[in-house]
Amino acid sequence: MTEIKYPDQRSKRFIFVPFCLLCQAFQARGIVRFGFSSVIKPIFDELLKHDLNIIQMPCPESRLGGYEKGLQRGPRGIEDYNTPEFLAICDVAANEVLQMIKAIINNGFEVVGILGLEYSPSCSVLLQYSNKGTTHHSGHFIAALQRKLRTEQIKVPFIGINRRGIKASIKKIRELICKKLF
Ligand code: SF4
């Protein structure tokens, strides 16, 4: 390994975020309506205060059928996405994230947490829309990632951002980063 002569100033802490948190245009058409048209800024304002490395996870929905088609998609429910083709996309994306997490941890760094986006059929941690109102289960991509982490016995906390309650989500993220949660 090459000898490094200068102090290593790299932050050793990482957080993983959903792709669209930095890029709302990758959301389905017609559902970006909570005042954030590109970056969900208040979340990043908080993350930037804590000297974290921020990793943007893949967006599985926009990969379905290729990005060109993916960017034209309308909103769909979790059942609509419950297809072998989409689950395979989630599996590949989750594996990419898993490999990064393993490399980070094996290099002595820390993954502080993984953020999801509530009510997304792919990236929610807990909350979903249904005909009967809100139900509690993870989106397909987050579920795949959680399964892979469990198999590898890697424990990383998840927090779902609720765009309708952004202040409460920021409080949870702050508590997570400051180790007052989990
Ligand atoms: S699949 Fe995930 S990253 Fe892609 S738009 Fe939906 S919530 Fe965002």
Side-chain angles (χ1 to χ4, degrees):
M1 204 178 285
T2 319
E3 191 192 338
I4 306 290
K5 293 182 182 148
Y6 303 103
D8 190 350
Q9 293 192 337
R10 296 179 298 168
S11 164
K12 291 187 162 42
R13 306 183 83 202
F14 290 74
I15 194 159
F16 284 73
V17 302
F19 189 94
C20 66
L21 212 64
L22 272 161
C23 180
Q24 285 284 283
F26 268 50
Q27 285 268 357
R29 284 179 291 121
I31 62 168
V32 172
R33 50 173 194 266
F34 296 102
F36 306 108
S37 56
S38 55
V39 176
I40 304 193
K41 293 188 187 81
I43 303 288
F44 287 98
D45 287 344
E46 185 61 36
L47 296 182
L48 291 172
K49 287 179 194 166
H50 299 278
D51 201 19
L52 296 169
N53 296 289
I54 301 170
I55 298 187
Q56 197 176 16
M57 296 188 288
C59 171
E61 288 174 24
S62 63
R63 288 184 173 188
L64 184 61
Y67 285 117
E68 192 167 335
K69 192 173 160 203
L71 286 173
Q72 296 163 16
R73 75 191 187 281
R76 295 191 212 166
I78 192 163
E79 285 308 325
D80 302 324
Y81 278 113
N82 194 11
T83 66
E85 187 186 4
F86 188 67
L87 296 181
I89 288 173
C90 288
D91 193 68
V92 168
N95 198 44
E96 289 169 20
V97 175
L98 174 72
Q99 297 312 319
M100 290 182 92
I101 291 175
K102 282 170 71 176
I104 287 166
I105 292 172
N106 291 341
N107 273 280
F109 298 151
E110 178 195 9
V111 178
V112 172
I114 297 172
L115 304 184
L117 202 64
E118 298 300 20
Y119 298 104
S120 157
S122 309
C123 296
S124 79
V125 174
L126 189 64
L127 305 176
Q128 284 294 327
Y129 291 120
S130 80
N131 299 339
K132 300 171 196 140
T134 297
T135 56
H136 294 87
H137 51 100
S138 316
H140 295 302
F141 168 59
I142 292 292
L145 182 54
Q146 288 174 330
R147 275 194 302 275
K148 287 180 189 298
L149 289 168
R150 260 197 310 275
T151 303
E152 299 279 342
Q153 299 187 321
I154 297 172
K155 287 191 181 158
V156 181
F158 284 76
I159 286 186
I161 295 165
N162 190 341
R163 283 164 290 180
R164 296 178 178 194
I166 208 84
K167 283 190 181 160
S169 298
I170 291 169
K171 184 167 177 280
K172 276 193 204 166
I173 292 168
R174 190 180 307 132
E175 287 171 354
L176 168 77
I177 297 169
C178 299
K179 303 277 184 203
K180 290 180 186 155
L181 202 64
F182 300 101

